[in-house]
Amino acid sequence: MARTAGSHSEVTGPRVRAAALRLFAQSGYAAVSMRSIAAEVGVQVGALYNYTPDKQSLLFDLMRSHLEDLLARAGTGEGDAADRLAGFVSFHIRYHHDRQDAVFIAYMELRNLSEANFQVIEGLRRRYEDLLEEILAAGVAEGSFGIADTRIATRAVIAMLTGVSTWFRESGRLTLSDVETQYRKMVLNAVRV
Amino acid sequence: MARTAGSHSEVTGPRVRAAALRLFAQSGYAAVSMRSIAAEVGVQVGALYNYTPDKQSLLFDLMRSHLEDLLARAGTGEGDAADRLAGFVSFHIRYHHDRQDAVFIAYMELRNLSEANFQVIEGLRRRYEDLLEEILAAGVAEGSFGIADTRIATRAVIAMLTGVSTWFRESGRLTLSDVETQYRKMVLNAVRV
DNA sequence: TTTGTTTCTGAACGGGCGTTCTTTTATTCT
DNA sequence: AGAATAAAAGAACGCCCGTTCAGAAACAAA
């Protein structure tokens, strides 16, 4: 038996990526076998190679598309630096909350990338950090922020925000909106003069 | 040939753990084989099982001893809440900087623990977080801190601080002391009224 | 209905995995 | 010196890995 009724490339391709995303996030890249991805899709392992040249590309493509989408959606914001920073905080928390698997992978599986692929991903991540750093620098120029080194502050803020997706649960004590409000306040306080 | 001249259990045991620590941090638990650990120690793979019942225990013991040492060294601090918080920030940054491999493992390899082992590690981590939360709660009681939810603030601060060890390099632009100073200021600002 | 193409199966490849076990050697004790 | 013990070597166990490939089944075009 080969080729189950009704199946097409346009359906299976995304399902392969979705299964890989879920399993990589759950167990880690190295612990997930191509066979387990195939099983999740409901296909034999050989069929996966119609959709990816190899396992490494599967990981890389997931990371790259996540970061490219992140960059495409992250605007530079409007208003003064404080407004723009508040907007960035809300955007980051909400965007990452909606894509916990992709976030997890993008932060945890960097060491499983080949050197060339790592450079690409690192470049994208750096571009995202630059969006925040530009806001912080504008605030310093305005005189409304009082941070000594904008690069450090950028990393501190991003680490703080990204941490949310490691513990926040919809079923928990607080709504995402509560969390967002408190983080906005903490971040704005952290960088003020 | 068996048993190289001059070797003893008290020497090899720690070397096994050190090799595992380094390799787990470098490549991830799942990607490191018992054979590669043995090679790093300079021994055949079978000899490792004189020092650990299995690979999982090796990971668990590394995490547990790291967290137990962390708890043993983290004091509750002295003075008012702001002083104690500043002390916590400095301690966390310095302690984690001195043990980057252990920190990395303790945060990245949680999902490779068995359920029972995970509960133990999670309990230890929680006790460490409680040290910080108690300081924050004291500050709120004093009226010097203005955070709505101490649990959220605890996680935010720890995520921020732990992030340092992912990017800080001795060879970089800033000294650890510079970083420490700026983080102390950012954290104290973040929680103030 | 035939032909061609796409998508999948199923088997196979060489190799690495964690772990166990027997045997050999270095050291310590008597 | 000889016996006992500790520590390591080396081989073997069954199993799973990523990847390849020939062939079969479903679909599309004629």
Side-chain angles (χ1 to χ4, degrees), chain B residues 17-193:
Chain B
R17 285 186 289 278
L21 183 71
R22 205 186 69 77
L23 291 174
F24 287 165
Q26 183 179 76
S27 312
Y29 173 78
V32 172
S33 68
M34 293 299 273
R35 281 167 181 82
S36 67
I37 296 173
E40 173 111 345
V41 175
V43 105
Q44 293 301 310
V45 62
L48 297 183
Y49 290 84
N50 291 318
Y51 304 100
T52 181
D54 48 39
K55 191 186 174 189
Q56 164 79 200
S57 302
L58 207 41
L59 175 63
F60 175 61
D61 289 344
L62 288 172
M63 286 197 186
R64 191 185 46 189
S65 62
H66 165 65
L67 287 172
E68 284 176 347
D69 186 66
L70 175 67
L71 279 167
R73 291 171 193 267
T76 52
E78 292 177 4
D80 62 16
D83 287 342
R84 291 171 66 202
L85 181 55
F88 185 91
V89 169
S90 290
F91 166 78
H92 188 101
I93 289 179
R94 295 212 162 265
Y95 184 87
H96 284 62
H97 172 254
D98 292 339
R99 301 159 191 259
Q100 298 194 29
D101 284 351
V103 171
F104 201 65
I105 289 174
Y107 278 82
M108 299 282 269
E109 303 294 354
L110 286 169
R111 62 186 165 191
N112 286 307
L113 291 174
S114 67
E115 180 56 29
N117 286 346
F118 176 79
Q119 292 303 332
V120 174
I121 297 299
E122 204 47 32
L124 290 169
R125 181 192 309 285
R126 174 66 193 239
R127 281 179 50 200
Y128 182 67
E129 289 186 6
D130 287 346
L131 294 178
L132 173 56
E133 188 170 9
E134 195 274 320
I135 295 173
L136 297 180
V140 171
E142 275 179 17
S144 48
F145 295 167
I147 38 186
D149 188 287
T150 55
R151 190 96 220 124
I152 288 189
T154 297
R155 283 164 169 156
V157 169
I158 287 187
M160 192 167 151
L161 296 179
T162 304
V164 172
S165 55
T166 67
W167 55 262
F168 182 80
R169 295 295 169 267
E170 210 82 60
S171 59
R173 192 162 47 89
L174 302 161
T175 67
L176 189 62
S177 191
D178 295 334
V179 174
E180 201 183 323
T181 302
Q182 184 164 345
Y183 268 80
R184 260 202 312 259
K185 185 185 170 198
M186 286 191 293
V187 169
L188 285 169
N189 266 348
V191 302
R192 75 182 182 183
V193 284

Side-chain angles (χ1 to χ4, degrees), chain A residues 89-160:
Chain A
V89 170
S90 290
F91 166 77
H92 188 101
I93 289 179
R94 295 212 162 264
Y95 184 87
H96 284 62
H97 172 254
D98 293 339
R99 303 160 190 257
Q100 298 194 30
D101 284 351
V103 171
F104 202 65
I105 290 175
Y107 278 83
M108 299 284 265
E109 303 295 355
L110 286 169
R111 63 186 167 192
N112 286 307
L113 290 174
S114 68
E115 180 57 29
N117 286 346
F118 176 79
Q119 293 302 333
V120 174
I121 297 299
E122 204 47 32
L124 290 170
R125 181 193 311 285
R126 174 65 193 240
R127 281 179 50 200
Y128 182 67
E129 289 186 6
D130 286 346
L131 294 179
L132 174 56
E133 188 171 9
E134 195 275 320
I135 295 174
L136 296 180
V140 171
E142 275 178 18
S144 49
F145 294 167
I147 39 187
D149 189 287
T150 54
R151 190 97 218 123
I152 288 188
T154 297
R155 283 163 169 156
V157 169
I158 286 187
M160 192 166 151

Side-chain angles (χ1 to χ4, degrees), chain A residues 28-108:
Chain A
Y29 174 78
V32 172
S33 68
M34 293 299 273
R35 280 169 181 79
S36 68
I37 296 173
E40 174 111 344
V41 175
V43 107
Q44 294 300 312
V45 62
L48 297 183
Y49 290 84
N50 291 320
Y51 304 101
T52 181
D54 48 39
K55 191 185 175 189
Q56 163 80 199
S57 302
L58 208 41
L59 175 63
F60 175 62
D61 289 343
L62 288 172
M63 287 196 185
R64 192 186 45 190
S65 61
H66 164 66
L67 288 172
E68 284 176 347
D69 186 65
L70 175 67
L71 280 166
R73 290 171 193 267
T76 52
E78 292 176 4
D80 62 17
D83 287 341
R84 292 172 65 202
L85 180 54
F88 184 91
V89 170
S90 290
F91 166 77
H92 188 101
I93 289 179
R94 295 212 162 264
Y95 184 87
H96 284 62
H97 172 254
D98 293 339
R99 303 160 190 257
Q100 298 194 30
D101 284 351
V103 171
F104 202 65
I105 290 175
Y107 278 83
M108 299 284 265

